[in-house]
Amino acid sequence: TGAFGEELAVAVFDALVPRLADGNAKVSVQAFTMLAGVLPVLGDDVTPALGSLVPALAAGVGGANEKTRAAATAASDALIESCSATSLVQHVSHSVCFGVSRAKPVLLEYLVDLAEAVYPARPQLVVKHAVPAAVTCLANEKSAAIKAANARLLRALAGCLGKEALAQHAGGISAAAKKKVEDALKAM
């Protein structure tokens, strides 16, 4: 990383991440607000901490408290704008698959932008991370908001890879996944 240094980045975010999930809403809101302010300055120096930071942001975006959700969304927006898409696509995809359901529509929207940004230079990252996230949501999610956001992701992926290639990659996951993707693409 840059001037911030990998060890320092990990140490700072290891101390900060628990504050993002603090039971006191005022503490978590303040932590998210501070994070939103420093992320643009740090840029890609946060990359070593993304493994813990992105799930914490996703949990905040999916939180029950409205003020916490708003602060977490602002911090997530700052992260998406300031960190490279290639660094983020894996972590956001993982949070889409394993994160809080309430956060998934927002995370899927982020993933649309990340996949479209990453695909021209690193198509293998999109195939490895974003496609399985979209297929997982297609197979497992019942929420209308998640289905709508996932449909936008599938459209973006079809635009990047092509419909046939997207279905083939889904077929690599399972035959049922390929069928669901083909059905979803026909409905578009």
Side-chain angles (χ1 to χ4, degrees), residues 127 131 135 138 154 157-158 161-186:
V127 169
V131 171
V135 170
L138 190 61
L154 286 169
L157 292 172
L161 283 78
K163 288 183 177 185
E164 292 78 22
L166 177 56
Q168 276 188 316
H169 288 296
I173 296 169
S174 73
K178 181 177 182 179
K179 176 79 171 109
K180 282 191 174 266
V181 168
E182 287 172 342
D183 292 346
L185 292 173
K186 286 178 189 172

Side-chain angles (χ1 to χ4, degrees), residues 2-43:
F4 196 57
E6 185 171 332
E7 284 182 33
L8 184 56
V10 170
V12 167
F13 287 102
D14 280 351
L16 177 64
V17 166
R19 300 293 61 87
L20 298 175
D22 197 286
N24 183 334
K26 290 179 182 179
V27 172
S28 63
V29 167
Q30 190 62 39
F32 282 121
T33 302
M34 185 277 307
L35 187 60
V38 300
L39 285 172
V41 175
L42 297 176

Side-chain angles (χ1 to χ4, degrees), residues 98-183:
F98 302 107
V100 180
S101 289
R102 202 176 319 175
K104 289 185 181 184
V106 173
L107 296 173
L108 285 162
E109 294 298 338
Y110 289 142
L111 197 51
V112 168
D113 295 337
L114 293 171
E116 290 175 337
V118 170
Y119 188 79
R122 303 279 304 273
Q124 70 278 14
L125 284 178
V126 173
V127 169
K128 184 176 180 180
H129 300 293
V131 171
V135 170
T136 298
C137 281
L138 190 61
N140 300 326
E141 297 300 336
K142 306 295 181 237
S143 159
I146 295 173
K147 286 181 176 182
N150 196 50
R152 287 189 287 281
L153 176 58
L154 286 169
R155 269 193 298 280
L157 292 172
C160 291
L161 283 78
K163 288 183 177 185
E164 292 78 22
L166 177 56
Q168 276 188 316
H169 288 296
I173 296 169
S174 73
K178 181 177 182 179
K179 176 79 171 109
K180 282 191 174 266
V181 168
E182 287 172 342
D183 292 346

Side-chain angles (χ1 to χ4, degrees), residues 12-89:
V12 167
F13 287 102
D14 280 351
L16 177 64
V17 166
R19 300 293 61 87
L20 298 175
D22 197 286
N24 183 334
K26 290 179 182 179
V27 172
S28 63
V29 167
Q30 190 62 39
F32 282 121
T33 302
M34 185 277 307
L35 187 60
V38 300
L39 285 172
V41 175
L42 297 176
D44 281 330
D45 284 347
V46 301
T47 300
L50 290 176
S52 62
L53 185 59
V54 172
L57 287 168
V61 168
N65 182 294
E66 187 177 325
K67 289 181 181 178
T68 302
R69 252 192 338 268
T73 301
S76 298
D77 290 345
L79 179 67
I80 297 294
E81 291 172 13
S82 60
C83 194
S84 74
T86 55
S87 298
L88 289 168
V89 72

